[in-house]
Amino acid sequence: MTRGKFVSLEGIDGAGKSTHLNAIAEWIRERGQAVLVTREPGGTPLGESLRQLLLHQSMHPDTEALIMFAARREHVMQVIAPALQQGTWVVSDRFTDASFAYQGGGRGVDVVHLNYLAAWVEGGIRPDMTLLFDLEPEEAHRRVLRGTPHPDRFEKEQATFFRKVRAAYLDRARAEPARFCLLDSSHAPEAIFKQAQQALERLWA
Ligand code: TYD
């Protein structure tokens, strides 16, 4: 049985990954693969409970990082690894890069801790491709305000926070250009989707 491929979608809040998530999964399905769509924080019953805490309960940044990774460990062990093992492709709305961007870049959690947690929690399960939806924080914030009547703890953050999150994402993309596909979210959705498809084609090569 060939192992499935693992695709993650990343970007600051409002950058548009949710717009494309299901269409991307559907497009992969049309190409003959079984696809599981999931998300972080979440993806398991425990992970969804932890998501509620993470999005609505204030806490120390280190605690936030630890809970993100606890939810991720459950997700990897219960959902992602078994699916990939069975040959199912996994499309996840966020994965470890989000912790480096939000907890590391945004909140200033020491990257030494994040590297340690990532190595432990991932246990070798890493995305084959990461689509990074990139958008200028002011525009992303306008889009969040338009689309979200009740913003969560992260969505309520100011542009300075999202500038740091975005910079951390872009640093990670620069460090691993083979894994990342950078998508300019200021373009029309059709153009972005086409660019994503072209990048994903490489997974069959
Ligand atoms: P998000 O994908 O934005 O959910 P929705 O589109 O439903 O609002 O994810 C929720 C938030 O969690 C988002 O603001 C980013 C944050 N987050 C982290 O801070 N660290 C992480 O490791 C992950 C996975 C998410």
Side-chain angles (χ1 to χ4, degrees):
M1 172 70 73
T2 319
R3 180 187 169 279
K5 302 284 183 186
F6 181 16
V7 177
S8 61
L9 275 61
E10 298 282 359
I12 61 172
D13 291 83
K17 66 187 168 46
S18 307
T19 311
H20 294 282
L21 179 73
N22 288 317
I24 285 169
E26 197 46 48
W27 181 79
I28 297 171
R29 254 180 224 120
E30 282 164 12
R31 299 189 49 127
Q33 311 295 338
V35 181
L36 177 82
V37 178
T38 186
R39 70 170 179 182
E40 291 204 348
T44 64
L46 175 62
E48 291 295 326
S49 300
L50 295 174
R51 179 185 177 93
Q52 289 312 310
L53 284 174
L54 287 161
L55 297 191
H56 304 293
Q57 167 86 54
S58 72
M59 60 184 80
H60 188 278
D62 290 346
T63 313
E64 187 178 279
L66 288 163
I67 299 178
M68 288 290 177
F69 275 102
R72 180 163 302 125
R73 184 62 178 159
E74 191 71 8
H75 195 202
V76 166
M77 296 308 281
Q78 306 287 3
V79 176
I80 300 176
L84 296 174
Q85 185 70 34
Q86 284 167 19
T88 299
W89 286 39
V90 174
V91 177
S92 187
D93 189 343
R94 302 190 186 282
F95 192 63
T96 306
D97 295 301
S99 298
F100 282 91
Y102 280 79
Q103 282 65 54
R107 306 260 197 244
V109 173
D110 193 334
V111 76
V112 170
H113 299 318
L114 300 178
N115 277 326
Y116 174 77
L117 289 168
W120 177 25
V121 165
E122 290 177 345
I125 304 282
R126 302 198 72 218
D128 296 288
M129 181 163 291
T130 298
L131 304 174
L132 176 56
F133 293 81
D134 183 55
L135 188 61
E136 198 250 315
E138 282 73 16
E139 172 58 18
H141 192 60
R142 277 193 289 276
R143 293 186 187 182
V144 168
L145 292 181
R146 271 203 303 273
T148 316
H150 305 292
D152 62 43
R153 227 158 54 78
F154 294 99
E155 290 162 340
K156 282 185 194 142
E157 289 288 345
Q158 302 300 311
T160 48
F161 175 82
F162 287 109
R163 269 196 285 279
K164 290 187 277 183
V165 175
R166 182 196 196 191
Y169 268 132
L170 291 173
D171 280 349
R172 286 183 71 78
R174 268 190 292 272
E176 282 186 80
R179 171 166 69 94
F180 275 90
C181 166
L182 189 62
L183 299 165
D184 183 344
S185 284
S186 67
H187 292 162
E190 302 74 36
I192 297 169
F193 187 61
K194 196 152 183 224
Q195 212 192 324
Q197 285 173 334
Q198 280 165 0
L200 290 165
E201 297 268 8
R202 294 207 299 270
L203 295 175
W204 282 273

